[in-house]
């Protein structure tokens, strides 16, 4: 077991709207094993994205726990201190988000290499690996040394995917990594996911594209089961 | 004789050496403290003196506080005994303390100076009193007095080297030629008053006591005899004194500090000893320079207080 | 034994500062670890500058303690040190980047001397070495070498700020305080400066405490953040969590007030 969520709930409290309570997830419970790719399913607005963000520590869970195997121990991400969350993200938990927060003036190759550098890799080695990833995702070589801020949506996303997949985190969260990719690049992402599985990485993702979902999912968890009972 | 003058004869006119005894005690206490903490600027309650600031009010107060009837006073300004400032201060002490005066360095017990140290090595028992316009060596870069005092207290002297760094960056060498900062007894950085850096080595391990008075800034500081005085520098830009290409035009002396004298408006000039007493001594001993005239100039540099006649 | 990396570098406990009846900041506690960037955000008057001044020995707190791990590993209470020790710390192991570069630079001495001053303050007495180090640091902050003898008066706002950063980093500090480091700069200049700061913090493993009212600066630079209002901490946590899922009413207001670009 790599990740286990138990009784995980999320309610937004909108203080600006007179303390309006907005429950989005209630009692989510699931497990993901090493080498397994689990897809969160369900219609838009069902809370898939909120669950993924809680799993990353980006959203604070209202209650429940998220146990994650970090450095040989089971750690509750919900209760973890910010410093521990950062360490978990550095060592254990990777995230491929849809949107890249580009830092002005950092070259694409360095954006991709950064997670390795942060984990202590030699800069030259990290750049080498980054170049391989960008090459594999068919990003034209002339773009590698340019900052991605000016890239097209698809180009930016490939930089982002390269950055997400470059590490050997044992747990990977995939937030619609194939949206706005062409067929060829979609297939490459499917390959990358398969390779991670083969290496025993536990993956949890959201995929709107049915073809990709079919290709990568070992299991689909329907998040409608965790929908809060709405007051009528 | 007028009535007023007759009255002046009968009544006590001035206290000995002009300052009242309480003030002299206060200044002596400041001097003792300054001697006890070499290079440290001791604040004192500077008095109004019958001369403008910038004319040596600090030096005069120090001299007035240490002078006694047996003392022999020499006063120099830029090395010369016969310039206005030197003449008037000497006359002042002749009037208010009736002390003997001299132009001979070796005969003086107290030498008050503005901007020079005599060429002749000072002796034990002599006191050199400097007139100081701005006592704070850090002032150039740090205008706040509260901050400079703290920097002295905590020995934070990096700023002094910033000044020297700027010199080298701008001129290729340390271009500071006067008021060149020194470290006294390994502790306090001190401004030696606007003496040429040529004189800095004379301050080091001097046999004489050196006292510094700044009247407007109300500070007294001191270098006791036999105290280490080191000019600040960089390892790769060591401290150097000025050198001169030619000897004194009048006495032929080398290795002394020279003043440039313009002779005419066609570019004619000569370099002569800034220390007039030293120059005269040498000429009296028969030394001659490139432009030394013969007997006609024998009296040059002598104190002539009645030249206006 | 625990590695130094795992022990806090700076520890603030129950810190309050009153100005007579008025509260500057009240009962603030937090820790900063080596290599960690902490943002303190809030509006003007929220107490963030008072807090910054208290933890950087510029203003004595009314109550509470601020401790710092010295290079020998010992934790020392800043306000129990002698002033000499504190000032030595400030010019060697710490940096302080002011919002207005004129407050942190000597405007009438050259860029080279501005960078070299800290070296001279700790006893460097070799002009050539000082100059080499200054040249190196100017290039690290992207100031052309041939500006080394120019005074910062002749520099643009962005260059002055970069010079201030070089001046602070030359002694290899472990903790840098920054007070609105990008305040008053054009947006494009801000971006360049932020990028530079981010790179330097990463490369040098610096810990930094950044006071800012600009949430974008906090997001880009910091790992963790503290939100202040009326002298109190109203929320703290992981930077992206605080910004993406703010809990306190005030933080929600702050986040929702940002113009989206």
């Amino acid at each position: 077991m790599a990740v286990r969520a138990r009784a995980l709930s999320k309610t937004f409290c909108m203080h600006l709207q007179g303390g309006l309570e907005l429950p989005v997830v209630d009692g989510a419970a699931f497990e993901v094993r090493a080498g397994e790719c689990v897809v969160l399913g369900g219609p838009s607005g069902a809370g898939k994205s909120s669950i993924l963000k809680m799993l990353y520590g980006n959203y604070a869970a209202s209650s429940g726990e998220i146990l994650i195997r970090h450095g040989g121990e089971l750690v509750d991400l919900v209760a973890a201190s910010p410093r521990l969350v950062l360490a978990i993200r550095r060592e254990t938990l990777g995230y491929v988000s849809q949107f890249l927060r580009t830092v002005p003036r950092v070259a694409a190759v360095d954006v991709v290499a950064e997670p390795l550098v942060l984990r202590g890799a030699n800069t030259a080695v990290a750049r080498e690996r980054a170049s391989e990833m960008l090459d594999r995702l068919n990003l034209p070589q002339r773009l590698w040394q340019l900052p991605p801020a000016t890239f097209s949506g698809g180009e930016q996303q490939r930089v982002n995917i390269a950055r997400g997949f470059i590490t050997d985190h044992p747990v990977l969260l995939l937030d619609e990594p194939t949206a706005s990719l062409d067929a060829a690049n979609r297939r490459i992402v499917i390959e990358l996911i398969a390779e991670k599985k083969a290496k025993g990485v536990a993956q949890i993702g959201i995929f709107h594209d049915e073809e990709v979902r079919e290709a990568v999912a070992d299991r689909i968890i329907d998040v409608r089961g965790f929908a809060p009972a709405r007051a009528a | 004789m007028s009535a007023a003058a007759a009255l002046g004869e009968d009544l006590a006119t001035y206290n000995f050496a002009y300052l009242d005894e309480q003030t002299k005690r206060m200044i002596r206490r400041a001097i003792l403290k300054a001697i006890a903490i070499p290079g440290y600027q001791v604040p004192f309650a500077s008095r109004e003196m019958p001369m403008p600031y910038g004319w040596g009010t600090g030096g005069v107060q120090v001299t007035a506080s240490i002078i006694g009837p047996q003392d022999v006073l020499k006063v120099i300004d830029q090395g010369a005994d016969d310039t206005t400032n030197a003449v008037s201060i000497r006359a002042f002490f002749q009037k208010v303390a009736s002390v003997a005066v001299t132009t001979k360095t070796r005969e003086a017990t107290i030498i008050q100076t503005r901007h020079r140290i005599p060429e002749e090595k000072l002796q034990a028992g002599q006191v050199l009193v400097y007139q100081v316009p701005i006592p704070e060596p850090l002032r150039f870069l740090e205008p706040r007095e509260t901050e400079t005092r703290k920097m002295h207290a905590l020995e934070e002297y990096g700023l002094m080297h910033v000044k020297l760094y700027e010199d080298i960056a701008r001129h290729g060498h340390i271009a500071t030629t006067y008021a060149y900062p020194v470290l006294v007894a390994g502790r306090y950085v001190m401004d030696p008053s606007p003496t040429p850096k040529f004189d800095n080595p004379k301050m080091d391990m001097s046999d004489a006591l050196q006292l510094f008075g700044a009247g407007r800034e109300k500070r007294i500081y001191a270098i006791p005899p036999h105290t280490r005085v080191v000019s600040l520098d960089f390892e790769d830009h060591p401290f150097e004194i000025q050198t001169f290409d030619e000897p004194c035009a009048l006495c032929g002396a080398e290795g002394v500090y020279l003043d440039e004298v313009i002779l005419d408006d066609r570019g004619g000039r000569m370099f002569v000893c800034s220390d007039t007493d030293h120059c005269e001594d040498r000429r009296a001993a028969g030394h001659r320079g490139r432009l030394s005239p013969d007997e006609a100039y024998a009296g040059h540099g002598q104190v002539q207080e009645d030249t206006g006649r | 034994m625990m590695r130094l990396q795992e022990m806090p570098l700076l520890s603030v406990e129950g810190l309050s500062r009153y100005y007579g009846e008025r509260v500057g900041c009240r009962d603030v506690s937090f820790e900063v670890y080596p290599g960690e960037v902490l943002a303190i955000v809030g509006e003007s008057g929220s107490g963030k500058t008072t807090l910054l001044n208290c933890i950087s020995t510029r203003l004595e707190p009314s109550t509470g303690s601020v401790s710092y791990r010295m290079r020998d590993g010992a934790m020392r209470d800043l306000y129990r040190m002698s002033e000499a020790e504190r000032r030595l710390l400030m010019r060697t192991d710490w940096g302080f980047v002011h919002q207005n570069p004129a407050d942190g630079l000597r405007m009438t001495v050259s860029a080279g001397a501005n960078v070299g001053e800290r070296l001279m303050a700790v006893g460097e007495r070799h002009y050539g070495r000082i100059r080499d180090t200054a040249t190196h640091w100017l290039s690290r902050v992207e100031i052309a070498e041939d500006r080394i003898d120019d005074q910062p008066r002749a520099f643009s706002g962005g260059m002055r700020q970069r010079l201030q950063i070089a001046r602070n980093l030359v002694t290899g500090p472990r903790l840098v305080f920054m007070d609105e480091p990008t305040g008053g700069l054009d947006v494009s200049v801000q971006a360049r400066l932020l990028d530079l700061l981010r790179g330097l913090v990463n490369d040098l493993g610096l810990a930094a405490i950044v006071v800012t009212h600009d949430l974008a600066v906090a997001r880009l630079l910091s790992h963790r953040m503290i939100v202040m209002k009326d002298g109190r901490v109203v929320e703290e946590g992981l930077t992206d969590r605080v910004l993406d899922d703010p809990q306190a009413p005030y933080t929600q207001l702050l986040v929702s007030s940002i113009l989206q670009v």
Side-chain angles (χ1 to χ4, degrees):
Chain A
M1 193 275 297
V3 180
R4 181 198 297 151
R6 267 203 308 233
L8 190 63
S9 301
K10 175 69 187 168
T11 299
F12 288 103
C13 180
M14 319 291 272
H15 291 286
L16 302 183
Q17 272 117 54
L20 177 72
E21 300 262 319
L22 192 67
V24 290
V25 178
D26 185 17
F30 53 86
E31 256 189 50
V32 184
R33 286 183 297 277
E36 188 181 31
C37 180
V38 168
V39 172
L40 302 177
S44 301
K48 301 189 293 290
S49 184
S50 293
I51 291 175
L52 208 63
K53 284 179 169 162
M54 281 191 280
L55 290 176
Y56 195 57
N58 180 230
Y59 278 5
S62 305
S63 61
E65 62 179 22
I66 299 166
L67 296 177
I68 184 162
R69 190 168 298 284
H70 170 64
E73 279 177 76
L74 273 185
V75 180
D76 181 4
L77 200 68
V78 172
S81 70
R83 268 174 49 74
L84 182 55
V85 175
L86 286 172
I88 291 170
R89 288 180 182 179
R90 196 169 54 239
E91 309 292 334
T92 304
L93 186 63
Y95 193 83
V96 187
S97 76
Q98 286 189 72
F99 302 105
L100 188 67
R101 280 192 193 276
T102 52
V103 180
R105 301 200 311 147
V106 177
V109 66
D110 290 321
V111 171
V112 176
E114 190 184 56
L116 289 183
V117 175
L118 288 180
R119 300 182 71 183
N122 173 290
T123 310
V125 173
R127 282 217 179 106
E128 182 69 35
R129 289 277 316 280
S131 302
E132 287 165 22
M133 288 297 285
L134 289 173
D135 192 35
R136 193 161 171 198
L137 285 156
N138 302 309
L139 191 79
Q141 195 163 354
R142 64 188 158 78
L143 298 182
W144 294 1
Q145 295 303 327
L146 300 177
T150 55
F151 293 5
S152 72
E155 285 162 352
Q156 286 197 11
Q157 192 149 14
R158 277 178 274 157
V159 170
N160 204 16
I161 289 165
R163 179 184 161 98
F165 281 110
I166 198 169
T167 62
D168 48 3
H169 287 127
V171 180
L172 213 50
L173 305 176
L174 311 168
D175 190 359
E176 299 196 49
T178 54
S180 82
L181 289 185
D182 60 25
N185 282 310
R186 261 203 310 275
R187 274 196 300 281
I188 289 159
V189 172
I190 292 170
E191 279 174 31
L192 287 169
I193 293 171
E195 286 167 21
K196 289 286 181 194
K197 275 204 247 183
K199 285 184 184 157
V201 174
Q203 297 174 92
I204 305 165
I206 302 172
F207 297 91
H208 282 132
D209 186 310
E210 207 161 323
E211 179 203 329
V212 179
R213 194 161 52 201
E214 292 300 315
V216 303
D218 294 310
R219 265 191 302 143
I220 293 179
I221 297 172
D222 191 339
V223 303
R224 279 176 297 188
F226 314 137
R230 297 274 159 113
Chain B
M1 194 173 275
S2 73
L7 211 64
E9 296 280 303
D10 296 326
L11 293 177
T13 47
Y14 294 107
N15 192 40
F16 179 77
Y18 184 77
L19 293 174
D20 64 273
E21 293 306 313
Q22 285 301 325
T23 297
K24 283 195 262 183
R25 281 188 194 177
M26 176 271 292
I27 293 175
R28 285 175 198 143
R29 279 196 295 270
I31 292 170
L32 286 173
K33 181 170 177 181
I35 293 169
I37 316 171
Y40 171 73
Q41 298 168 49
V42 182
F44 79 108
S46 178
R47 297 293 194 248
E48 286 298 320
M49 298 303 285
M51 60 185 72
Y53 289 127
W55 285 64
T57 54
V60 165
Q61 290 180 76
V62 169
T63 300
S65 303
I66 60 170
I67 203 164
Q70 308 308 317
D71 273 310
V72 181
L73 178 69
K74 170 182 162 81
V75 183
I76 51 173
D77 174 6
Q78 309 273 14
D81 294 272
D82 57 356
T83 51
T84 315
N85 192 252
V87 169
S88 53
I89 291 174
R90 193 165 48 234
F92 175 76
F93 280 110
Q94 279 180 300
K95 181 166 189 179
V96 300
S98 308
V99 292
V101 296
T102 183
T103 60
K104 298 285 168 218
T105 298
R106 91 176 58 89
E107 289 171 9
T109 55
I110 298 173
I111 304 169
Q112 180 168 333
T113 176
R114 175 172 175 269
H115 308 356
R116 272 311 308 280
I117 298 174
E119 301 293 356
E120 189 175 327
K121 191 172 182 300
L122 298 180
Q123 308 296 317
Q126 288 184 306
V127 182
L128 187 59
V129 178
Y130 297 73
Q131 303 170 201
V132 180
I134 299 169
E136 181 47 73
L138 297 162
R139 182 67 69 239
F140 170 75
L141 291 162
E142 178 51 68
R144 291 167 295 180
E145 175 73 13
T146 48
E147 189 63 19
T148 53
R149 306 215 92 199
K150 199 166 274 183
M151 291 160 88
H152 281 296
L154 301 175
E155 276 186 272
E156 290 180 6
Y157 289 133
L159 210 50
M160 284 322 306
H161 277 85
V162 169
K163 187 168 184 271
L164 301 178
Y165 171 98
E166 286 291 87
D167 259 7
I168 303 172
R170 215 171 294 162
H171 308 288
H173 61 273
I174 297 176
T176 301
T177 51
Y178 63 91
Y180 191 106
V182 292
L183 182 68
V184 179
R187 176 59 182 83
Y188 283 97
V189 166
M190 189 194 89
D191 186 326
S193 86
T195 50
K197 67 177 177 181
F198 180 88
D199 287 339
N200 276 19
K202 295 179 194 158
M203 294 191 288
D204 180 36
M205 301 305 279
S206 171
D207 291 330
L209 169 64
Q210 302 172 77
L211 301 176
F212 299 77
R216 180 178 41 210
E217 303 284 327
K218 304 178 171 53
R219 294 289 183 275
I220 286 171
Y221 50 103
I223 305 173
H226 314 296
T227 301
R228 226 351 121 211
V229 178
V230 178
S231 303
L232 303 183
D233 61 2
F234 286 103
E235 289 162 25
D236 48 345
H237 287 267
F239 172 79
E240 285 170 355
I241 60 170
Q242 292 102 326
T243 55
F244 297 89
D245 296 334
E246 45 187 289
C248 171
L250 295 178
C251 75
E254 294 180 12
V256 296
Y257 194 74
L258 301 180
D259 283 338
E260 183 179 3
V261 177
I262 304 294
L263 296 174
D264 51 44
D265 56 5
R266 295 184 306 278
R269 57 191 188 155
M270 64 175 180
F271 288 90
V272 298
C273 285
S274 130
D275 184 338
T276 52
D277 170 58
H278 183 69
C279 199
E280 263 172 55
D281 259 14
R282 283 180 51 83
R283 274 178 286 145
H287 295 286
R288 288 291 179 272
R290 183 171 60 89
L291 293 175
S292 50
D294 295 312
E295 296 313 302
Y297 263 75
H300 168 87
Q302 257 180 17
V303 182
Q304 294 174 355
E305 287 171 290
D306 52 355
T307 46
R309 201 162 44 184
Chain C
M1 197 188 132
M2 262 182 32
R3 286 160 55 225
L4 280 184
Q5 285 296 320
E6 286 145 15
M7 297 196 280
L9 190 61
L10 185 84
S11 175
V12 179
E13 278 171 57
L15 186 142
S16 301
R17 166 75 203 195
Y18 303 100
Y19 301 97
E21 294 285 288
R22 224 156 44 74
V23 174
C25 61
R26 181 182 290 171
D27 197 24
V28 179
S29 300
F30 63 88
E31 290 177 332
V32 177
Y33 286 76
E36 188 178 42
V37 181
L38 176 77
I40 301 174
V41 304
E43 303 169 316
S44 346
S46 62
K48 58 188 196 301
T49 301
T50 295
L51 177 60
L52 180 74
N53 287 336
C54 283
I55 60 181
S56 59
T57 76
R58 302 162 69 84
L59 181 69
E60 191 155 357
S62 307
T63 59
S65 72
V66 184
S67 310
Y68 181 72
R69 191 167 309 281
M70 309 297 283
R71 283 185 190 258
D72 64 5
M75 207 69 177
R76 299 278 307 275
D77 186 331
L78 294 178
Y79 290 97
R80 284 165 193 260
M81 287 182 186
S82 69
E83 184 168 18
E85 284 180 295
R86 271 206 299 268
R87 286 171 67 114
L88 181 67
L89 195 66
M90 286 194 79
R91 62 171 193 265
T92 55
D93 219 22
W94 287 7
F96 197 107
V97 177
H98 297 262
Q99 172 172 9
N100 179 1
D103 295 340
L105 291 173
R106 293 194 190 278
M107 298 302 278
T108 55
V109 305
S110 68
N114 263 287
V115 177
E117 182 178 339
R118 275 177 161 230
L119 296 173
M120 294 181 246
V122 294
E124 175 61 89
R125 292 289 178 265
H126 190 283
Y127 175 82
R129 278 200 301 266
I130 293 167
R131 208 164 164 83
D132 288 348
T133 312
T135 306
H136 166 77
W137 274 100
L138 288 179
S139 74
R140 277 204 84 160
V141 298
E142 301 169 19
I143 294 175
E145 274 182 38
D146 62 3
R147 304 300 300 271
I148 190 169
D149 293 330
D150 293 349
Q151 294 182 2
R153 286 191 292 196
F155 287 4
S156 69
M159 273 176 81
R160 288 179 184 182
Q161 201 54 300
R162 297 202 301 279
L163 179 63
Q164 198 193 172
I165 290 163
R167 172 179 162 88
N168 272 285
L169 297 186
V170 68
T171 48
R174 295 185 300 154
L175 177 62
V176 178
F177 300 94
M178 301 186 205
D179 186 9
E180 303 278 7
T182 60
L185 298 177
D186 293 342
V187 177
S188 61
V189 178
Q190 280 191 19
R192 181 179 184 186
L193 187 71
L194 282 174
D195 177 37
L196 178 77
L197 279 175
R198 196 171 170 272
L200 288 171
V201 165
N202 278 346
D203 292 351
L204 305 171
L206 290 176
I209 297 177
V210 185
V211 162
T212 180
H213 69 279
D214 186 338
L215 298 183
V217 169
R219 183 178 302 261
L220 208 54
L221 283 182
S222 72
H223 300 113
R224 282 196 299 131
M225 60 190 273
I226 285 179
V227 183
M228 294 194 69
K229 178 172 169 40
D230 300 332
R232 289 175 178 280
V233 175
V234 295
E235 184 160 0
E236 61 185 305
L238 217 52
T239 296
D240 64 274
R241 205 279 298 150
V242 172
L243 293 175
D244 293 341
D245 184 16
Q247 309 287 309
Y250 177 71
T251 318
Q252 290 187 357
L253 178 68
L254 207 59
V255 170
S256 67
S257 309
I258 313 172
L259 293 174
Q260 296 294 327
V261 185

